[in-house]
């Protein structure tokens, strides 16, 4: 069962209160109750120490988990940046091709909508039918 930091902190505060109470009782104990108060204090001190160590380990574990999450997020951001760069280069190449096709049509005086794309035999405008290289 995973115990959250808030619960562990509450238990630590409870143990600290119990230790403080044991110390006060020991200070005001009579000679008859001194041995029992000392025993109670020792037990409270051990429980507080155990809870303190458990809380410290929990917090250290959170630091490790946060570091792992941060590394995963950094890796994700780097991958997204690389993907963006590839997409940007691809888009820039497509824009260069479009500009060169448009420029070649403007130089020849033809309208780009009336002809096929030289690069792949695709229609120059949506809905136009592509013609294959051979006669059918």
């Amino acid at each position: 069962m995973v115990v959250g930091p808030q619960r562990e902190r509450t238990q630590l505060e409870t143990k600290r209160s119990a230790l403080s109470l044991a110390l006060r009782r020991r200070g005001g104990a009579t000679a008859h109750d001194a041995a029992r108060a000392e025993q109670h204090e020792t037990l409270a001190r051990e429980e507080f120490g155990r809870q303190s160590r458990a809380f410290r380990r929990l917090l250290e574990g959170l630091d490790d988990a946060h570091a792992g999450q941060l590394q995963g997020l950094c890796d994700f951001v780097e991958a997204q940046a690389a993907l963006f760069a590839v997409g940007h280069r691809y888009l820039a190449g497509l824009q260069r091709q479009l500009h060169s096709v448009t420029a070649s049509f403007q130089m020849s005086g033809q309208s780009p909508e009336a002809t096929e794309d030289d690069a792949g035999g695709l229609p120059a405008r949506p809905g136009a039918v592509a013609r294959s290289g051979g006669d059918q």
Side-chain angles (χ1 to χ4, degrees):
M1 177 174 106
V2 177
V3 179
Q6 188 62 34
R7 181 175 172 197
E8 290 293 325
R9 181 178 180 182
T10 302
Q11 288 179 355
L12 182 63
E13 289 170 355
T14 302
K15 301 295 182 187
R16 178 65 187 141
S17 296
L19 179 58
S20 295
L21 179 62
L23 289 172
R24 279 195 308 271
R25 283 185 184 165
R26 183 173 177 229
T30 62
H32 177 65
D33 293 330
R36 185 172 166 205
E38 188 176 331
Q39 199 175 37
H40 185 59
E41 177 196 346
T42 303
L43 179 63
R45 191 178 303 274
E46 288 173 1
E47 288 178 3
F48 177 74
R50 262 194 302 268
Q51 188 62 37
S52 178
R53 287 187 297 275
F55 188 60
R56 190 176 304 118
R57 282 192 305 266
L58 176 69
L59 292 179
E60 289 168 356
L62 288 177
D63 286 343
D64 292 342
H66 288 162
Q69 289 175 346
L70 180 61
Q71 183 61 47
L73 287 172
C74 288
D75 292 346
F76 174 75
V77 167
E78 287 177 13
Q80 289 295 309
L83 180 63
F84 176 79
V86 168
H88 183 70
R89 286 192 301 270
Y90 184 73
L91 178 62
L94 289 175
Q95 286 175 337
R96 280 193 302 275
Q97 288 177 2
L98 179 63
H99 289 301
S100 69
V101 167
T102 304
S104 68
F105 282 120
Q106 288 174 350
M107 288 175 53
S108 67
Q110 297 178 339
S111 170
E113 290 84 22
T115 62
E116 292 181 282
D117 182 8
D118 293 333
L122 298 175
R125 67 180 189 279
V129 177
R131 294 185 210 137
S132 64
D135 291 334
Q136 293 181 1

